[in-house]
Amino acid sequence: MTAVETQRTIEAVWRIESAKVIAGLARIVRDVGLAEDLAQDALVAALEQWPEAGVPRNPGAWLMGTAKHRAIDLLRRKKLFERKQEELGRELEVQQELAAPDLDAEIDAADGDDIGDDLLRLVFTACHPVLATEARVALTLRMLGGLTTEEIARAFLVPEATVAQRIVRAKRTLGEARVPFEVPRGAERAARLPSVLEVIYLIFNEGYSATAGEDWVRPALCEDALRLGRFLTGLMPQEPEVHGLVALMEIQASRLRARVGPKGEPILLLDQNRARWDQLQIRRGLAALEKAEALGGERGPYTLQAAIAACHGRARIAEETDWGRIASLYDQLAELTPSPVVELNRAVALAMAYGPAAGLEVVDALMSEPSLKTYHLLPSVRGDFLFKLGRFDEARVELERAASLTQNGRERTLLLERAAACAQELVSSRSA
């Protein structure tokens, strides 16, 4: 394996394993900031050793083992220092009191902790009320999803420097507040739930449609988010929105195999081969949606989005999709949680139900929205509407702008191909 291949392998392993390593370490050291530092030390060790020694058979276990040994050394030094202070002047007891404890045994015993999943504990810890909502989400995405600050910034439509500051301050705040590494109970758990659900869904979205790089999808992130969501339904079975989120993710994840072509190229929803959709996941999603709705009360944002996804999941072919119902559900979602991104999605539904002019009217009203200034999907959607209206030159400009804004290589190629198709249609229309 060449040095470049090894480097890529390490990056891929880190993407997959970093959250598990950080979560496992956080249970040991009870400090999420310190846990990330120790995990980063293990990553540095991998970068130094793997190019010469080769990639280990179980790279995740190697990273965890290396980081755990560093944690043990750190804890032993800390205990030794504390005991030296405590026992200063008691020479007769020094040897007994300074004997290093069997931290390996203590750590192994902690593996039997009945709280459950380390990753879920990490989510709830990072979503502690001591942090602002934006900081909770950014910190958890960084630690649990393995996302870079740039990717998180794109998810939130805010500057990268802002996200970096949030993460640094969040780790410092958690450390200073001595926040316990645990899943809270009762009212405190309910208070943290909205942020937890938001974090899990943002992780899923990064896997479902990667913001950067050359891969259109990153299924491992979707799997992590789904696993967390399913675990959360067991922990909070009476919460409708937990089931709603799982329903949404299950139905969307059912399309993963159909979202990419043989060469990894993106395939948009209406062009997908629905025979490749995972029917088991669709059935699981519909069952979770039924649970969410059976629990009663007003439908929350995730349950509404799951109902939208269900309209696609039930349609055997694209032409059977009930776009009128989808548009109605987006109206409800926009009223419940108004945002520019929801409006953009509502515009797509309106265009499919009532024609591209109806969608273009909504999109044009969003063109001055500051938070969407660098959001590539705005010109992408507008370009699509303009193309369907036969305004090919304007559509080409919008699609080329969208291509310049996206940081995903696969998506950029797709957008440029669509822009080229606009140019071809323009030539054809002029020569006709």
Side-chain angles (χ1 to χ4, degrees), residues 205-261:
N205 272 339
E206 181 57 32
Y208 188 74
S209 183
T211 57
E214 295 303 317
D215 294 322
W216 175 240
V217 297
R218 288 162 52 191
L221 280 178
C222 293
E223 292 168 7
D224 279 345
L226 267 167
R227 185 177 58 78
L228 286 167
R230 291 167 186 157
F231 186 84
L232 199 57
T233 61
L235 190 66
M236 309 181 75
Q238 299 304 311
E239 289 290 340
E241 277 291 81
V242 175
H243 294 286
L245 175 60
V246 170
L248 174 59
M249 294 191 296
E250 293 278 15
I251 297 172
Q252 288 185 324
S254 72
R255 309 173 199 152
L256 281 172
R257 287 183 301 176
R259 295 194 78 233
V260 294

Side-chain angles (χ1 to χ4, degrees), residues 23 28 44 62 74 76 143 179 184 186 307 344 353 368 400 410 418 422-423:
I28 296 170
V44 171
W62 190 98
L74 179 68
R76 280 180 173 151
M143 291 187 170
V179 171
L344 184 60
S368 60
E400 287 178 348
R410 298 286 186 181
R418 291 169 61 195
C422 292

